[in-house]
Amino acid sequence: MGSIQRPGALYQQVAAEIRNAISAGEFPPGAPLPSETQLIERYKVSRPTVRNAIAALRSEGLIEVVHGKGSFVRPTPVPALTIHRTITRHDSATYVLGHRWETAEPPQVYRTETTAATGPLLELGEGEALVVADRILADPSAGTRALHRTLIPESVIKGTPLADMPDADPEKVYAELAAAGRDLTWTETVSARMPQPEERAALGISEATPVLRTVRVTYDGTARPIAAEELLVDAALAQVAFRITAAEDAPAPS
Amino acid sequence: MGSIQRPGALYQQVAAEIRNAISAGEFPPGAPLPSETQLIERYKVSRPTVRNAIAALRSEGLIEVVHGKGSFVRPTPVPALTIHRTITRHDSATYVLGHRWETAEPPQVYRTETTAATGPLLELGEGEALVVADRILADPSAGTRALHRTLIPESVIKGTPLADMPDADPEKVYAELAAAGRDLTWTETVSARMPQPEERAALGISEATPVLRTVRVTYDGTARPIAAEELLVDAALAQVAFRITAAEDAPAPS
DNA sequence: TATCATTTGTTCGTATGTATC
DNA sequence: CGATACATACGAACAAATGAT
């Protein structure tokens, strides 16, 4: 299936170098990359090799190339359009984001701080203390895997039993929070993007295949959300389905 | 933005030829494409040109290339995994799949027959009569467009007022069906894939960007669905959000 | 308006490495 | 092991888009 390109290939090395330079901030979002000629000099490779590296970054959605101008770091896409639905939960199964998964590997739990990527999820600024749990889930019957991440602000956990069991299942987390008398509501958002190289490797995703990203944010009636869950699955193998029934007081949809 | 590659480029012509050959059935799903050497002879072009064409088809997700073996037509991905949710509709706005759109161009309505792609949506075999309406929708405030398609079996329309107004808005369709005494329920499915070249052009989607595909299937309690809607939007610009509240009799989710 | 330098796009040629059968 | 097929890499030349002169 997903033909694994040789990682030691010259153009892959160049692509990795540029990738690192971007994440290191040398080329911030929107900034132009060095021209092909400059990259040739910088890395002492031929033009086909440079172009191959650029093509790899392009197909990851990391950069954008404009004929006659140059290559530019693609800004993190902020969805300008959100298609909203308001729904009421009726299902009771203890599923992770609506599906029963097995945990393929022990969860990785760590403390960190909110970043520009994770902060907005929880409506927090950058640099706030955060407890993160990463899981690799598996559905053996479908032969699929998924990446699951739970993010909870440390301020929410502090003083609760959760502080002593940071590797708890999401279900237990919600049960604890509900037991603490919180009245929970949720928002779920479905989006899609091209996977990053590590995500492709972890999920075994073949090229030109996007990932579905489902984010669930939990509220308890206070100003800020108290937790966020993120689920990444191969979009070629998985979909998210909603069975809908009209409430008696609701007219027909559309 | 989306740097439009020159359509007249040699490798684009070759890519188009292969694309046509695939959709014409010369290379069915799973079948191997001719080798690079054979393509060089067939189209009288150089190896880089052939490889460029193959790279284009790869990035569309149309073919899969295996080192040392060959290129193969990728079978239409059937989602092996569906993440299910059951929800109750409470919103009443007359939106198209939950969002207010403007119709950018007059809808294109035509009669056709179900295919291997459209048949399963309505749980019909191939060759059943179908009324299809294609729309290009726009959200000027977000600067985004969407492709919307309505599919209704002719057997459902026959004898109803809809037979005389095939270009009706989806809202009117549901209103008519509900007025006919049908008790409607719906299923919505969110998936993602790489756009086809025409879809990319119609939506102005930049490369390496997937499209979100939302499909709504309408049931009326009988065995088969009576209508299907399909909405395609740029996944970099749009997301689908569900605001969730727990029913009083429902436990916490997940 | 026209021209020019810069930058990316396209196309050829050639050679060698590596996976598959 | 050999034949076939795709992957990587270099060199070279011209075309086309962009922005500044």
Side-chain angles (χ1 to χ4, degrees), chain B residues 104-128:
Chain B
E105 299 178 18
Q108 296 230 333
V109 185
Y110 51 93
R111 284 179 159 65
T112 181
E113 294 185 347
T114 52
T115 66
T118 57
L121 279 184
L122 293 161
E123 294 177 25
L124 291 172
E126 297 187 34
E128 304 261 7

Side-chain angles (χ1 to χ4, degrees), chain A residues 16-199:
Chain A
E17 295 259 14
I18 299 175
R19 225 181 270 120
N20 293 337
I22 289 174
S23 59
E26 183 177 347
F27 308 117
L33 249 50
S35 74
E36 291 181 358
T37 312
Q38 290 171 318
L39 290 174
I40 289 169
E41 294 162 358
R42 177 164 173 170
Y43 297 113
K44 311 292 180 193
V45 294
S46 70
R47 196 168 132 161
T49 301
V50 162
R51 286 187 61 80
N52 218 338
I54 288 177
L57 300 175
R58 266 172 108 150
S59 70
E60 294 168 20
L62 196 61
I63 66 174
E64 186 139 347
V65 183
V66 184
H67 190 166
K69 285 184 71 176
S71 305
F72 301 85
V73 180
R74 230 150 96 162
T76 314
V78 178
L81 193 167
T82 302
I83 299 175
H84 281 292
R85 311 302 302 274
T86 304
I87 64 180
T88 302
R89 278 197 63 95
H90 279 293
D91 50 344
S92 58
T94 60
Y95 288 0
V96 171
L97 280 170
H99 188 75
R100 187 176 291 281
W101 298 93
E102 293 182 5
T103 305
E105 299 177 17
Q108 296 230 332
V109 184
Y110 52 94
R111 284 180 157 65
T112 181
E113 294 184 347
T114 52
T115 64
T118 57
L121 279 184
L122 295 161
E123 293 177 26
L124 292 172
E126 296 187 34
E128 304 260 7
L130 205 64
V131 179
V132 180
D134 284 338
R135 285 180 176 77
I136 296 183
L137 307 175
D139 181 326
S141 63
T144 319
R145 281 185 294 180
L147 294 178
H148 182 264
R149 169 172 289 176
T150 311
L151 306 110
I152 308 179
E154 200 158 57
S155 58
V156 171
I157 286 189
K158 191 167 290 181
T160 74
L162 289 174
D164 301 324
M165 39 187 251
D167 61 340
D169 286 345
E171 304 102 82
K172 289 191 180 175
V173 174
Y174 292 115
E176 278 297 336
L177 294 173
R182 299 178 187 254
D183 189 19
L184 305 183
T185 59
W186 303 269
T187 298
E188 282 186 19
T189 309
V190 184
S191 58
R193 59 171 169 76
M194 295 311 284
Q196 289 156 14
E198 321 86 56
E199 295 168 344

Side-chain angles (χ1 to χ4, degrees), chain A residues 1-3 5 58-59 61 64-65 74 77 79-92 94-95 97-99 101 139 142 144 171 174 185-190 192-194 206-210 212 216 231 235-247 249-251 253-254, chain B residues 1-3 5 58-59 61 64-65 74 77 79-92 95-99 101 139 142 144 171 174 185-190 192-194 206-210 212 216 231 235-247 249-251 253-254:
Chain A
M1 290 296 187
S3 68
Q5 254 72 328
R58 266 172 108 150
S59 70
E64 186 139 347
V65 183
R74 230 150 96 162
L81 193 167
T82 302
I83 299 175
H84 281 292
R85 311 302 302 274
T86 304
I87 64 180
T88 302
R89 278 197 63 95
H90 279 293
D91 50 344
S92 58
T94 60
Y95 288 0
L97 280 170
H99 188 75
W101 298 93
D139 181 326
T144 319
E171 304 102 82
Y174 292 115
T185 59
W186 303 269
T187 298
E188 282 186 19
T189 309
V190 184
R193 59 171 169 76
M194 295 311 284
S206 56
E207 54 187 8
T209 304
L212 269 181
R216 172 195 287 163
L231 185 75
L237 299 178
Q239 57 187 358
V240 184
F242 296 83
R243 280 191 295 272
I244 302 173
T245 54
D249 58 340
S254 102
Chain B
M1 292 297 180
S3 67
Q5 254 73 328
R58 263 172 109 148
S59 69
E64 186 139 346
V65 183
R74 228 149 97 162
L81 193 166
T82 301
I83 299 175
H84 281 291
R85 313 301 303 274
T86 304
I87 64 180
T88 302
R89 279 197 62 94
H90 278 294
D91 50 343
S92 58
Y95 287 1
V96 171
L97 280 171
H99 187 74
W101 298 92
D139 181 326
T144 318
E171 303 101 81
Y174 291 116
T185 60
W186 303 270
T187 298
E188 281 185 19
T189 309
V190 184
R193 59 170 169 77
M194 295 311 284
S206 56
E207 53 189 6
T209 304
L212 271 180
R216 173 194 285 163
L231 185 76
L237 298 178
Q239 57 186 358
V240 184
F242 297 84
R243 281 189 295 272
I244 303 174
T245 55
D249 58 340
S254 108

Side-chain angles (χ1 to χ4, degrees), chain A residues 196-243:
Chain A
Q196 289 156 14
E198 321 86 56
E199 295 168 344
R200 263 189 51 178
L203 295 178
I205 290 179
S206 56
E207 54 187 8
T209 304
V211 285
L212 269 181
R213 177 172 178 261
T214 306
V215 175
R216 172 195 287 163
V217 181
T218 307
Y219 300 84
D220 72 341
T222 60
R224 288 195 208 294
I226 58 172
E229 277 180 80
E230 184 183 17
L231 185 75
L232 283 187
V233 290
D234 185 334
L237 299 178
Q239 57 187 358
V240 184
F242 296 83
R243 280 191 295 272

Side-chain angles (χ1 to χ4, degrees), chain B residues 139-215:
Chain B
D139 181 326
S141 62
T144 318
R145 282 185 294 180
L147 293 178
H148 183 262
R149 170 171 288 177
T150 310
L151 306 110
I152 308 180
E154 201 159 56
S155 59
V156 171
I157 286 188
K158 192 167 290 182
T160 74
L162 290 174
D164 300 325
M165 38 186 252
D167 60 342
D169 286 345
E171 303 101 81
K172 290 191 179 175
V173 173
Y174 291 116
E176 279 296 337
L177 294 173
R182 298 176 187 255
D183 188 19
L184 305 183
T185 60
W186 303 270
T187 298
E188 281 185 19
T189 309
V190 184
S191 58
R193 59 170 169 77
M194 295 311 284
Q196 290 156 13
E198 322 86 57
E199 295 169 344
R200 265 189 51 178
L203 295 177
I205 290 180
S206 56
E207 53 189 6
T209 304
V211 285
L212 271 180
R213 177 171 178 263
T214 307
V215 175

